[in-house]
Amino acid sequence: MRRPTVRNLSLVAVTATALTVGAAAPPTQSTTTPPAKSPVAVGYGGAVASVDPDASAAGIEVLRRGGNAVDAAVATAAALGVTEPYSAGIGGGGYFVHYDAKTRAVRTIDGRETAPLSADASLFLGEDGKPLPFAEAMTSGLSVGTPGTPATWKTALDAWGTKPLRDLLKPAERLARDGFTVDATFRAQTAANEARFRDFPASAELFLPGGRLPEVGSTFKNPDLARTYEKLGRHGIGALYRGDLARDIVRSVQDPPVREGAQRTVRAGDLTERDLARYETVWRKPTKMSYRGLDVYGMAPSSSGGTTVGEALNILERADLSSLSKAQYLHRFIEASRIAFADRGRWVGDPAFEDVPVRGLLSQRFADARACLIRDDAVLTSPLAPGDPRDPEPCAAGGTAAPTTYEGENTTHLTASDKWGNVVAYTLTLESTGGSGITVPGRGFLLNNELTDFSFAPANPAVHDPNLPGPGKRPRSSMSPTIVLDGHARPVLALGSPGGATIITTVLQTLTGVVDRDLPLVEAIAAPRASQRNQTTTELEPALYDSPVRAELEALGHRFRENPEIGAATGIQRLPDGRWLAAAEKTRRGGGSAMVVRPAS
């Protein structure tokens, strides 16, 4: 049975407005007092949702000054580089999904980092030919790819922006210069990186002021980053890819600035000025599939987000999720995720190097052939073998199984809309919390460890791995910025999340929570999460792990492990009367920040 989803979404959205009219951002001031934080806001003139109130306020400031959603997204992302420097910044990369209200079209920008031209499949193999320990690979020059975030800003602004880059960087520049208020999440993330940061003098000087962890409630300043933003505003994004700033990045990778006497093995990388100078973003045709009468657009490879979310939705569409019990719904969700991740691991990589069968992965025929593996009274076993989207066989046992490789879990996501109806879903990252741990001396930003998203070696030598390193290759990502349109090509919903490979399951669970389970967007984001990624056990957040539902699922054969926190989503919803509803986390990462230009009265 298929439900009239568009109508139900409207009803859910209206119900959500009763929760709160939300918060408008005050104009950004030269102060360390953060704006009020609210997980939901409803109003007019546009909206911004991110994990951080200072960053959301920066985007709202731009909207109030006549900027559009793209302008606001760049300003918000730049501010996140100040307040969330361990998750995002100009030393990283990401994916930008845009809905143009004039053309009613969705377009996407691949701003993923790239490996040096010298890289090959042995990039992360030690002298003994075995894969390096992840921690050693992460904290090294080897892990650093050419940053794509600044180039993404330029590509987006050149295509759709209305404000000069220098103006859009001003709120973040001011925030870096005058400082922001340290919260518990920032302190905890600094503490988790303290040992690494102490081994890099530039990182220790910036993130451990006075040699100590920053105190909650104190003011954290980054004058070096303020100067770097001012430089990019004055000279343009090219200043990061050529010239003295590019040379500083290359020097930090090729000769990591490690303190004298450090016991850590920090391997040098081979990123060159040529690698930076030749970097380009890539226009990708978005993934698109239909679900309950809605068109779901996502990010195509090099991200695996669009194809994996899309395949799982196609599998789930054959079931009436609205009529199932919570345990039955989670069983279907877990099994669809397991299947989609099995296929992701075999088929998805950088399309410049791999023949990725995107159309096949998103076909209903393939989904139906895979969905028939799911039983109501039994559980599939992981690692599950992949199917063949080029020639689907119903209920086929598939090829040889390979386990899912590790992927770091820290990233950030923002969503933005404007009074004209344009929408942005933008996910950006350094990969692990704190990236490589290497701060570019005098520049105020961390370098990514994005290349550790490559497989260090094939998970199963008998199975082709599309995600091995290569020269100029983009590592596979799970980032899943998503925009949903109705039957008239108008925006209904935009969302995304951080969380490494758990991004995919977070976006999938949030989408089905809204569309199938009738949850208001803010409640779908807050709902306790499960994440199955073709592994022997499924991760559950505590509220599910400690609930009676776990016993019901274990009786079917599911196995679980506890994960304290999965993802940190944000989303925006367009209401039938023209208002925008912005939503963020209630508690994860200390709660997110949803803001609108003019709150509904």
Side-chain angles (χ1 to χ4, degrees):
M1 179 180 125
R2 298 199 181 187
R3 304 160 63 221
T5 306
V6 177
R7 184 189 66 202
N8 285 352
L9 271 178
S10 299
L11 292 173
V12 169
V14 171
T15 302
T17 67
L19 296 171
T20 176
V21 295
T28 303
Q29 304 289 335
S30 295
T31 174
T32 59
T33 303
K37 183 185 285 189
S38 173
V40 62
V42 180
Y44 301 93
V48 176
S50 79
V51 74
D52 180 76
D54 286 304
S56 295
I60 292 291
E61 177 182 337
V62 167
L63 291 175
R64 283 193 172 142
R65 293 180 177 178
N68 65 16
V70 171
D71 301 323
V74 170
T76 303
L80 287 168
V82 180
T83 61
E84 268 219 310
Y86 310 143
S87 301
I90 54 175
Y95 298 98
F96 196 101
V97 179
H98 176 258
Y99 169 80
D100 188 315
K102 286 185 178 179
T103 62
R104 298 193 181 185
V106 176
R107 297 186 70 190
T108 67
I109 302 168
D110 182 333
R112 184 69 157 157
E113 300 89 338
T114 53
L117 291 172
S118 61
D120 60 22
S122 66
L123 180 66
F124 290 112
L125 301 182
E127 291 75 12
D128 58 0
K130 296 180 180 179
L132 296 174
F134 185 87
E136 182 178 331
M138 172 180 67
T139 308
S140 73
L142 280 179
S143 70
V144 181
T146 302
T149 290
T152 301
W153 296 351
K154 182 180 189 312
T155 301
L157 291 172
D158 285 350
W160 306 297
T162 65
K163 301 291 183 181
L165 176 67
R166 63 179 177 274
D167 292 348
L168 302 178
L169 294 180
K170 285 296 183 184
E173 183 185 331
R174 189 168 60 235
L175 194 59
R177 183 186 64 243
D178 297 342
F180 64 92
T181 302
V182 172
D183 62 12
T185 299
F186 186 86
R187 177 180 168 85
Q189 291 181 341
T190 308
N193 280 284
E194 182 176 3
R196 289 206 300 158
F197 287 168
R198 289 196 184 281
D199 283 343
F200 298 98
S203 298
E205 181 181 1
L206 175 58
F207 298 116
L208 301 168
R212 298 183 299 274
L213 290 171
E215 295 292 337
V216 174
S218 65
T219 299
F220 187 93
K221 298 181 180 182
N222 190 342
D224 286 344
L225 183 56
R227 286 188 289 270
T228 299
Y229 278 161
E230 191 275 334
K231 180 183 181 71
L232 295 180
R234 183 161 27 96
H235 297 293
I237 291 303
L240 185 134
Y241 293 96
R242 295 175 179 81
D244 57 348
L245 182 48
R247 286 190 289 274
D248 286 349
I249 292 171
V250 168
R251 190 178 303 115
S252 299
V253 172
Q254 294 187 356
D255 186 16
V258 184
R259 71 173 174 84
E260 186 176 351
Q263 299 302 302
R264 185 184 305 274
T265 298
V266 181
R267 294 173 180 261
D270 194 31
L271 193 73
T272 67
E273 290 183 57
R274 182 187 176 200
D275 291 314
L276 268 73
R278 71 186 295 274
Y279 181 85
E280 293 182 348
T281 57
V282 180
W283 289 103
R284 302 281 189 202
K285 182 180 178 181
T287 60
K288 178 186 176 184
M289 52 82 61
S290 177
Y291 186 71
R292 315 288 193 205
L294 299 168
D295 289 329
V296 181
Y297 289 85
M299 194 68 222
S302 57
S303 176
S304 64
T307 55
T308 312
V309 169
E311 180 185 347
L313 287 173
N314 279 334
I315 291 170
L316 290 171
E317 189 166 26
R318 296 308 192 197
D320 180 12
L321 301 184
S322 66
S323 66
L324 301 181
S325 69
K326 188 172 184 178
Q328 290 169 332
Y329 159 70
L330 286 171
H331 171 65
R332 284 272 168 178
F333 165 77
I334 288 168
E335 297 295 71
S337 300
R338 188 193 313 272
I339 293 168
F341 264 90
D343 299 328
R344 163 194 184 267
R346 168 60 184 86
W347 298 104
V348 182
D350 183 344
F353 291 77
E354 301 288 334
D355 182 13
V356 185
V358 172
R359 181 176 295 181
L361 288 167
L362 290 173
S363 72
Q364 192 63 54
R365 179 181 172 221
F366 179 57
D368 291 345
R370 300 292 277 159
C372 70
L373 294 170
I374 300 175
R375 292 174 51 187
D376 291 333
D377 59 351
V379 173
L380 294 167
T381 301
S382 287
L384 183 71
D388 188 344
R390 302 166 304 181
D391 184 23
E393 294 184 34
C395 300
T400 305
T404 299
T405 53
Y406 177 77
E407 188 173 334
E409 294 191 356
N410 212 17
T411 297
T412 196
H413 178 82
L414 65 95
T415 41
S417 64
D418 61 35
K419 62 184 178 182
W420 297 283
N422 303 301
V423 177
V424 171
Y426 182 23
T427 314
L428 56 161
T429 185
L430 296 180
E431 209 271 339
S432 296
T433 306
S436 64
I438 302 171
T439 298
V440 181
R443 302 300 188 175
F445 64 91
L446 286 158
L447 292 172
N448 68 82
N449 66 300
E450 211 61 65
L451 301 189
T452 57
D453 269 351
F454 284 122
S455 303
F456 288 16
N460 183 336
V463 180
H464 173 73
D465 190 326
N467 191 40
L468 293 172
K473 190 175 182 179
R474 286 167 155 82
R476 181 174 61 208
S477 170
S478 294
M479 288 184 272
S480 307
T482 302
I483 293 179
V484 181
L485 306 184
D486 65 16
H488 301 286
R490 295 173 302 193
V492 171
L493 187 66
L495 76 158
S497 177
T502 69
I503 293 172
I504 290 168
T505 54
T506 296
V507 169
L508 179 64
Q509 189 172 350
T510 305
L511 275 172
T512 56
V514 173
V515 175
D516 294 295
R517 306 293 285 180
D518 287 336
L519 293 177
L521 177 57
V522 69
E523 299 302 332
I525 287 172
R529 293 183 182 132
S531 183
Q532 167 54 241
R533 306 184 299 280
N534 198 25
Q535 297 175 328
T536 55
T537 55
T538 297
E539 295 179 8
L540 295 181
E541 287 188 323
L544 281 176
Y545 192 84
D546 297 333
S547 76
V549 171
R550 176 164 68 100
E552 290 185 61
L553 292 168
E554 286 176 336
L556 289 176
H558 288 280
R559 297 172 57 196
F560 298 106
R561 67 186 187 276
E562 190 172 7
N563 185 333
E565 187 174 278
I566 297 173
T570 73
I572 283 178
Q573 196 167 12
R574 178 181 171 273
L575 306 185
D577 59 5
R579 292 177 300 165
W580 291 103
L581 184 150
E585 296 287 355
K586 291 184 175 182
T587 58
R588 296 181 185 96
R589 289 202 190 181
S593 174
M595 295 181 181
V596 292
V597 173
R598 298 192 313 279
S601 57

